[in-house]
Amino acid sequence: MTQGNGHGNGAAVKLTGKDFKSDQEVRWCPGCGDYAILSAVQGFMPSLGIPRERIVFVSGIGCSSRFPYYMNTYGMHSIHGRAPAIATGLSVTRPDLSVWVITGDGDALSIGGNHLIHALRRNVNLKILLFNNQIYGLTKGQYSPTSELGKVTKSTPMGSLDHPFNPVSVALGVEATFVARSIDSDRAHLTEVLGKAAAHQGTAFVEIYQNCNIFNDGAFDLLKEPDTRADNQIRLEHGKPIRFGKDGERGVRLTDDCRVELVDVADVGEDALLVHDEHRAEPSLAFMLSRLSHGADGPTPIGVFRDVERPVYDELMSEQVEAATARQGRGELAKLLHGGDTWQLG
Amino acid sequence: MTKPVQVLDRVTIRFAGDSGDGMQLTGDRFTSETAAFGNDLSTLPDFPAEIRAPAGSIPGVSGFQLHFADHDILTPGDAPDVLVAMNPAALKANLGDLPKGASLIVNTDSFTARNLDKAGYAANPLEDGTLADHQVHPVPLTSMTLEALKEFDISKKEAERAKNMFALGLMSWLYHRPTEATVAYLEKKFASRPVIAKANVTAFKAGWNYGETTEAFAVSYEIKPAKLTPGTYRNISGNLALAYGLVAASQLSGLPLFLGAYPITPASDILHELSKHKAFGVRTFQAEDEIAGVGAALGAAFGGALGVTTSSGPGIALKAETIGLGVSLELPLLVIDIQRSGPSTGMPTKTEQADLLQVLYGRNGEAPVPVVAPCTPSDCFHAAVEAARIALKYRTPVVLLSDGYLANGSEPWLLPDVASLPDISTSFATEPNHEGDFWPYLRDETTLARPWAVPGTPGLEHRIGGLEKADGTGNISYDPDNHDRMINLRAAKVAGIAADIPPVEVDHQDGSGLLVLGWGSTYGPIGAAVRRVRATGARVSVAHLRHLNPFPANLGEVLAAYDQVLIPEMNLGQLRMLVRSRYLVDAVGYNKVRGLPFKAEELADAIIGLLDEGAGK
Ligand code: SF4
């Protein structure tokens, strides 16, 4: 494969989570889910074995987009919605780097929706972490493109009117090659998903349910609280029948008329359950799984929905440069200028 | 029988026909023949915005004007001396530009009732006296082409299509142009279909022979070669020169070129051209929109590439926020604006100079950006290198302001010796710069530029962003005094570039009290107008700005030396406003915004009018 994702020629380096903490004071609201994600990412980074200088975090605007300031790597806090575009330019010119995009639901799916879908379809070598808190935090509590219908906020006193995006469905809809979902507070799960995302060649899209305790507290409690989480977390595991519930008594089945439905295993038998295949080339089944819940308001799949191989945009671009150079030889300026019809005077 | 030959010093020819008639190709070929012959020349294509407007209609008319001479010339000519009109619509669309006594070569075969109707002619202008003031040469171009090609095994439609080559042959005879290159060109262009190649060559030669034998053309013309600086020349359009300039800037700086762009008229040709030069390490990225184009270029710049985005006015408006980020990040970035008629979508294929204030001020906050404007098509090459030099040295976005007239117009270019081009290399930071730490905003004392530390450099990990940064450390800062200092530092950095650009040169005429000041593509028409005025014995001086921000250091002094300052612009007075406010000079404007370059004659009239005013006449 390639040397992308920051793995250059050098030997792997040994670092600790502390090495990835910058000297800047973290300024999210106390109790914000962003802290847990930051800590998980800092703790996870050493496992990559990539030196800090070859890692870049690029973000847009929003609470989550302050993230790069707290990482002791290279970083850019850019413009609202534009991080995937900026990161694309960086990634395709610097295949030696590991480039991460940090974004939120408003940043990625409202003002930056266009850039997100195009990065995903091109399969640029980016790892995109979308912190979804289903609210606008930095601007103090307006509904977001992932807020549930009818949400009462400062800008929607009578309830929001727009049908929300399901970020995983959006990513699968544009045929992203790696799509996953995790939860801020589940460090072990998040770390595992991050590892798979980092190893993926091409764009990896990870939605992370993140609690905004100020403006949308408890949005994901159903998936987090000890008494409800077993019944509401559907953990997708490659090659295994999809089961959930305290004792795995519930499951997911594909019906004859092509729907996925939640079933009691006792009713249908284990053999009737859908076996999760994250490498399935065709994205429709993964899309159907993403539709099981619209926003953590019932049994909701987490884990890797899709992980497939497709040529990476950065590499294709480099290959064209190499092919042109091999065919024509390295460009010579004088030759270029003297190309076409020239004539001599004097 | 040999026909008499008349010697002329200059001629302006306009080829006009339907979009499908191949007028751009005809013009290009005539230009190449003329260049090879050694005349000085300048061209101006004029094509419709619609890709395929209805055949025979006035919106579908495509034109190509060429001015060539035995001396150096500055413009594609005010008005054609000769119009080649391939159909009634082409005649109608161009007749108004034709001075009395000008020649007209008309394809009579296309003057059918149907075509006359499509052009809106109630009666045939060839017969009703409409053309009485002109020397009309009626030529049945289509039928003679068909006759010449009747032995060929090709369809009638294919044969008809060669009529532009018949016209080119006739014009080549009329002006004694060399023909070998055109024959070679046709053979190469249609190499995959030799019969078509042969048909076109046959039509071309038939046109030439027709000129020689017919009595319809009693005289032919000779325009002696011009005495130009010795050297190797090629004909070049502004956009091609600009693309080459970007490749050159990449080579001269040693940085890989990255272009992020979204297709837009009249800038797309730069994207097309650069996409061909991957062997120079050029990466081109056709982005999902204008914002992504500039964003990707800025991202590439963060990584140490020469980041470039190309667009026109509407796209520049969309890029404004990212240019502002570039100002705040203090990273090199080239923003290329090929201006076109606005506002809004305006007239995409027509030229204008009305984006000056947009690129200077069209951003939130105090966001100064250097601006460079080329003045001729070939100058686009050098202006691109200069813009890159400033961007790299001062770590700043730089706007290069070309326009549709320069982009598509062409002129002979004395090819520069590559070794004589400036070294614009820059260096990346490799070491901590402050007590063992790296401070990304610790500035160079002379240039005020900050260090450029690219990812991959161990020990220099740092974070930058659009939030205000503390002077030196670059950490987020809301400190009021720091903000004021940073605003002033960024402004001083850009203003300081004035010490690093050449002074404005004045073509001063002793005893003149009037200075004509121009910028950008008005260079040619202003220069031609000044020559005309001087030829009348009147005195006038002229200067042209290539740097619009900052202005050359001596500009104030230059302006103060004249009683009158005239600033012609294809806008409502944008440079004039800047000059008036900055130097308190009572400059007056000549402003027309017709989507077309100025004519030398109108500018000469404006200059003479002002001189008369100054003299109290
Ligand atoms: S507003 Fe919400 S998302 Fe933003 S920092 Fe506070 S808790 Fe976190």
Side-chain angles (χ1 to χ4, degrees), chain A residues 218-271:
Chain A
F220 309 106
D221 277 359
L222 220 49
L223 273 66
K224 291 179 168 187
E225 293 300 318
D227 52 332
T228 53
R229 95 182 146 213
D231 290 335
N232 290 293
Q233 274 190 16
I234 307 176
R235 291 181 165 245
L236 301 175
E237 287 173 80
H238 178 66
K240 295 202 179 142
I242 305 174
R243 300 180 76 144
F244 64 106
K246 212 182 281 35
D247 303 309
E249 72 281 8
R250 303 265 289 151
V252 175
R253 170 176 87 158
L254 186 63
T255 67
D256 291 342
D257 63 344
C258 252
R259 287 176 296 113
V260 289
E261 67 175 5
L262 305 178
V263 290
D264 287 325
V265 180
D267 292 348
V268 299
E270 177 160 8
D271 290 348

Side-chain angles (χ1 to χ4, degrees), chain B residues 211-451:
Chain B
E212 203 158 56
T213 49
T214 182
E215 288 175 10
F217 292 90
V219 191
S220 68
Y221 303 93
E222 198 180 333
I223 294 91
K224 295 250 156 60
K227 280 185 200 64
L228 300 171
T229 313
T232 306
Y233 285 78
R234 70 178 282 174
N235 197 54
I236 195 128
S237 69
N239 271 353
L240 187 57
L242 209 157
Y244 286 176
L246 293 173
V247 173
S250 163
Q251 299 282 303
L252 297 168
S253 64
L255 300 179
L257 182 67
F258 175 86
L259 173 71
Y262 187 75
I264 185 170
T265 303
S268 305
D269 284 341
I270 303 170
L271 167 63
H272 305 162
E273 184 63 31
L274 287 177
S275 68
K276 293 186 215 160
H277 300 300
K278 296 183 168 67
F280 284 88
V282 174
R283 282 174 162 78
T284 55
F285 171 61
Q286 183 176 314
E288 59 270 24
D289 59 27
E290 296 279 0
I291 298 172
V294 66
L298 188 62
F302 184 57
L306 178 60
V308 183
T309 190
T310 49
S311 190
S312 187
I316 300 297
L318 286 165
K319 295 179 197 294
E321 191 183 13
T322 310
I323 301 170
L325 178 64
V327 169
S328 177
L329 297 182
E330 303 193 40
L331 282 173
L333 176 70
L334 283 186
V335 179
I336 291 161
D337 179 359
I338 314 295
Q339 299 167 96
R340 67 187 214 189
S341 298
S344 189
T345 307
M347 302 192 288
T349 56
K350 307 296 173 189
T351 197
E352 207 156 287
Q353 290 185 297
D355 289 353
L356 177 58
L357 294 183
Q358 175 182 226
V359 301
L360 281 173
Y361 300 120
R363 288 173 294 282
N364 64 305
E366 296 287 353
V369 162
V371 179
V372 177
C375 56
T376 68
S378 67
D379 187 42
C380 291
F381 176 86
H382 300 284
V385 174
E386 170 67 354
R389 180 188 75 87
I390 295 174
L392 294 171
K393 183 165 175 185
Y394 295 89
R395 322 289 203 218
T396 176
V398 173
V399 174
L400 185 62
L401 262 187
S402 176
D403 64 27
Y405 169 51
L406 295 179
N408 294 316
S410 76
E411 63 177 355
W413 181 29
L414 174 59
L415 291 172
D417 174 9
V418 168
S420 73
L421 296 172
D423 175 6
I424 59 169
S425 59
T426 183
S427 58
F428 297 135
T430 53
E431 300 288 333
N433 58 0
H434 188 268
E435 295 169 8
D437 283 341
F438 177 64
W439 281 18
Y441 280 77
L442 198 59
R443 294 169 192 279
D444 179 277
E445 281 175 19
T446 322
T447 60
L448 296 181
R450 74 176 191 91

